[in-house]
């Protein structure tokens, strides 16, 4: 029920007693919320814990969905630039976006959880999220979203002005995403747009115009390859809650294509590889890119789609998390290898 993707983190506590009720039976046999006793969150002041949970600081899986597109954009810009940036400069930008993605993810997830709080209370895996369980009020969540967005905007003082323009588009699209689950069966497409826009922003961050006349077509190929990739992994991830989502009235590609998800994602995967190949041809890159980025992505997506058990939430969650390293690692690796060959 949210961006962990984007999308949803497993917020139910384990090995806890069930919630007692006097008036009516609970919607789910879900354990009562128990404050974290181990890990990073257990060391925070209790009042901070719900806000750290809203930011998903204890669950890094969804962070990769935010960060990998920026890495792809940096590597892509380094490949198409007539004057390749130095490795230290790329690392500097990568570090800046690492911090920025922590804040961006926190803001997007807080907004999503706030808008989706009524849905979350009807989904077993999401009903113990901070807003859904009442640990953070609606107004507090809005203020927290604003504060995170404001902090994130300070990062643009170190970036070219066009990055701020890109950031506005990314923010608006993330703001639209939770509403998409109410009016379309394809909210994953909406979610893919701000993730893919990171490629454009990262390119501008190193002084490269990815939409220049000689590069805009390859940029669009890479952009929409990222959109299709998002649609694949978020549809698989959404299968964790497909029954509860259907009952709650949440629209998604997982609900719409529940019986044919693997066929759908296979078609999308062909589109991803085709667009990546077209981008490589337009960029005039070497065989290294086609082997690492194109073939590597093809193998990774085939394994993900073929091996995931859509009936098992743990399998969907595992492939969501590690799929970023397989697919994203292939993409970034091929582009970086091409860049290193230019130095």
């Amino acid at each position: 029920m949210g961006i962990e993707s984007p999308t949803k983190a497993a917020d139910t506590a384990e090995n806890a007693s069930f919630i007692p009720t006097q008036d009516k039976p609970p919607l789910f046999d879900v354990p009562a919320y128990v404050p974290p006793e181990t890990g990073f969150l257990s060391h925070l002041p209790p009042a901070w814990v719900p806000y750290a949970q809203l930011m998903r600081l204890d669950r890094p899986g969804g962070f990769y969905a935010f960060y990998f597109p920026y890495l792809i954009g940096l590597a892509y810009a380094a490949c198409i630039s007539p004057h390749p940036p130095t490795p230290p400069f790329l690392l500097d930008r990568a570090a800046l976006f690492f911090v920025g993605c922590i804040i961006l993810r926190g803001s997007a997830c807080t907004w999503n959880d706030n808008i989706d709080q009524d849905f979350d209370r009807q989904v077993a895996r999401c009903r113990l999220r901070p807003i859904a369980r009442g640990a953070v009020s609606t107004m507090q969540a809005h203020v927290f979203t604003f504060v995170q967005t404001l902090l994130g905007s300070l990062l643009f003082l170190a970036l070219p002005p066009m990055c701020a323009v890109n950031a506005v588009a990314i923010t608006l699209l993330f703001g639209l995403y939770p509403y998409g689950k109410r009016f379309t069966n394809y909210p994953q497409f909406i979610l893919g747009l701000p993730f893919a826009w990171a490629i454009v922003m990262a390119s501008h961050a190193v002084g490269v115009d990815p939409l220049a006349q000689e590069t805009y077509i390859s940029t669009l190929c890479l952009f929409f390859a990222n959109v299709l990739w998002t649609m694949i992994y978020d549809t698989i991830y959404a299968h964790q809650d497909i029954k509860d989502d259907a009952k709650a009235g949440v629209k998604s590609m997982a609900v719409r294509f529940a019986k044919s998800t693997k066929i759908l994602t296979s078609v999308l995967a062909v589109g991803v590889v085709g667009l990546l190949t077209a981008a490589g041809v337009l960029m005039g890159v070497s065989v290294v890119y086609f082997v690492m980025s194109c073939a590597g992505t093809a193998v990774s997506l085939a394994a993900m789609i073929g091996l995931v058990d859509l009936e098992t939430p743990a399998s969907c969650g595992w492939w969501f998390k590690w799929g970023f390293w397989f697919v994203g690692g292939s993409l970034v690796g091929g582009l970086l290898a091409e860049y290193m060959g230019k130095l």
Side-chain angles (χ1 to χ4, degrees):
M1 282 301 324
I3 300 177
E4 257 314 293
S5 16
T7 46
K8 300 165 265 195
D11 298 313
T12 54
E14 297 180 354
N15 302 320
S17 59
F18 288 104
I19 302 173
T21 179
Q22 298 178 350
D23 300 323
K24 57 184 179 180
L27 288 174
F28 314 101
D29 288 335
V30 176
Y33 173 74
V34 174
E37 299 176 349
T38 60
F40 166 70
L41 297 187
S42 65
H43 300 289
L44 296 178
W48 293 15
V49 171
Y51 295 95
Q53 290 173 329
L54 283 175
M55 294 182 71
R56 312 291 200 267
L57 292 181
D58 58 329
R59 303 185 183 280
F63 172 79
Y64 309 137
F66 285 80
Y67 191 47
F68 263 109
Y70 287 96
L71 295 180
I72 293 168
L74 290 174
Y76 170 67
C79 287
I80 65 174
S81 174
H83 306 288
T86 63
F89 183 66
L90 280 182
L91 288 174
D92 175 81
R93 288 296 190 248
L96 186 67
F97 282 125
F98 182 90
V99 176
C101 284
I102 293 174
I103 300 173
L104 174 62
R105 182 195 181 202
S107 177
C109 288
T110 303
W111 172 258
N112 186 81
D113 286 5
N114 212 5
I115 301 303
D116 275 358
Q117 58 181 285
D118 290 334
F119 281 158
D120 284 352
R121 294 186 184 103
Q122 301 176 64
V123 176
R125 197 170 53 84
C126 304
R127 67 186 298 268
L128 293 182
R129 286 179 172 177
I131 301 172
R133 72 174 188 260
V136 176
S137 71
T138 299
M139 182 54 66
Q140 288 172 327
H142 281 314
V143 172
F144 190 47
T145 300
F146 175 77
V147 170
Q148 292 177 91
T149 304
L150 183 62
L151 287 174
S153 67
L154 297 178
L155 295 175
F156 296 107
L157 297 177
L159 295 172
M162 273 304 298
C163 290
V165 177
N166 297 148
V168 171
I170 290 171
T171 301
L172 291 176
L173 287 166
F174 274 132
L176 174 64
Y177 166 67
Y179 295 104
K181 289 174 276 188
R182 292 156 171 80
F183 66 78
T184 177
N185 291 316
Y186 303 92
Q188 283 77 19
F189 175 77
I190 298 174
L191 182 61
L193 295 175
F195 283 141
W197 212 297
I199 296 170
V200 178
M201 183 175 175
S203 298
H204 282 134
V206 294
V208 174
D209 181 7
L211 300 177
Q213 184 175 358
E214 60 273 15
T215 58
Y216 79 94
I217 299 180
S218 62
T219 299
L220 289 176
C221 288
L222 196 59
F223 182 99
F224 283 106
N226 202 102
V227 172
L228 296 184
W229 177 33
T230 303
M231 294 169 72
I232 292 170
Y233 68 65
D234 199 63
T235 298
I236 289 174
Y237 194 78
H239 266 266
Q240 293 182 102
D241 307 306
I242 190 169
K243 293 180 180 178
D244 289 341
D245 282 353
K247 293 178 182 177
V250 180
K251 295 180 181 296
S252 75
M253 291 173 64
V255 174
R256 172 64 178 81
F257 299 98
K259 302 299 183 181
S260 55
T261 293
K262 291 208 173 188
I263 296 175
L264 171 67
T265 52
S266 296
V267 172
L268 294 175
V270 171
V272 171
V273 176
L275 287 168
L276 292 178
T277 303
V281 171
L282 291 166
M283 292 162 59
V285 294
S286 70
V287 69
V288 173
Y289 166 85
F290 293 103
V291 172
M292 294 185 65
S293 290
C294 299
T297 295
V299 172
S300 299
L301 289 175
M304 181 180 188
I305 296 168
L307 297 177
V308 66
D309 182 358
L310 297 175
E311 302 298 323
T312 305
S315 178
C316 297
W318 192 92
W319 280 103
F320 169 78
K321 178 180 178 179
W322 292 103
F324 291 116
W325 288 102
F326 301 146
V327 178
S330 297
L331 273 170
V332 175
L335 289 167
L336 283 180
E338 192 67 30
Y339 158 67
M340 295 301 292
K342 296 175 62 177
L343 295 180

